[in-house]
Amino acid sequence: QVQLVESGGGLVQAGGSLRLSCAASGSIFSATVMGWYRQAPGKQRELVADITTGGSTNYRASVKGRFTVSRDNTKNTVYLQMNSLKPEDTAVYYCSAYVKQYYGDSAMNYWGQGTQVTVSS
C-alpha cells in the first residue's frame, strides 16, 4: 500500500507565505507525477501545480509567479511553496502522486488526506 502524508497548512494573512509538504511512503518503486490540487467549499477540485520526476512543472494560471512546486525524488516528497497568498487561495489542499509499486507496473493515482489553507484578508 501507498500512503501520502501532508503537512504545512494553516491560517495566514493575505500576502503571507506557507509551505506544504507531502511524503509518499509504502511499497513504492517510483513516483512519477506528483502534485497539488485544491478544493474550496462548493467548488470542484482543481489542479494547482504538478511536477514530473525530471522536474518539468505545470501550474494553473492564477498561481503562476506566486507558487513553486518542487520535489525530492530520493524521499518521494513533493513541496508547494506558496507566496503572496490571497483570500481566494483558501481551500483544502490535496497531494496527488502517480506511483508504480514494482518494475513494469502501471502507475496508480494516490491522494493525501488534505490540509486546510486559510488566507484572511
Side-chain angles (χ1 to χ4, degrees):
Q1 282 290 4
V2 175
Q3 299 84 36
L4 301 183
V5 178
E6 300 141 339
S7 60
L11 172 65
V12 65
Q13 289 188 332
S17 299
L18 284 173
R19 187 184 193 224
L20 306 182
S21 299
C22 171
S25 63
S27 178
I28 298 173
F29 173 74
S30 67
T32 56
V33 180
M34 301 184 76
W36 295 91
Y37 288 70
R38 67 186 182 189
Q39 187 167 19
K43 295 188 177 181
Q44 289 190 331
R45 190 173 297 190
E46 60 186 22
L47 173 68
V48 176
D50 61 23
I51 182 168
T52 67
T53 307
S56 295
T57 57
N58 177 41
Y59 295 92
R60 72 178 301 102
S62 62
V63 307
K64 281 183 179 179
R66 300 188 297 122
F67 291 10
T68 302
V69 63
S70 61
R71 63 187 287 172
D72 183 336
N73 292 331
T74 65
K75 298 179 180 179
N76 289 320
T77 299
V78 63
Y79 306 95
L80 185 68
Q81 178 66 43
M82 303 184 292
N83 298 328
S84 302
L85 282 159
K86 304 176 181 180
E88 50 264 42
D89 295 317
T90 295
V92 177
Y93 283 68
Y94 296 91
C95 174
S96 166
Y98 285 84
V99 174
K100 296 181 178 182
Q101 291 190 277
Y102 53 86
Y103 179 78
D105 188 20
S106 298
M108 288 189 61
N109 189 205
Y110 293 87
W111 292 91
Q113 78 285 359
T115 184
Q116 178 70 46
V117 171
T118 303
V119 184
S120 63
S121 57

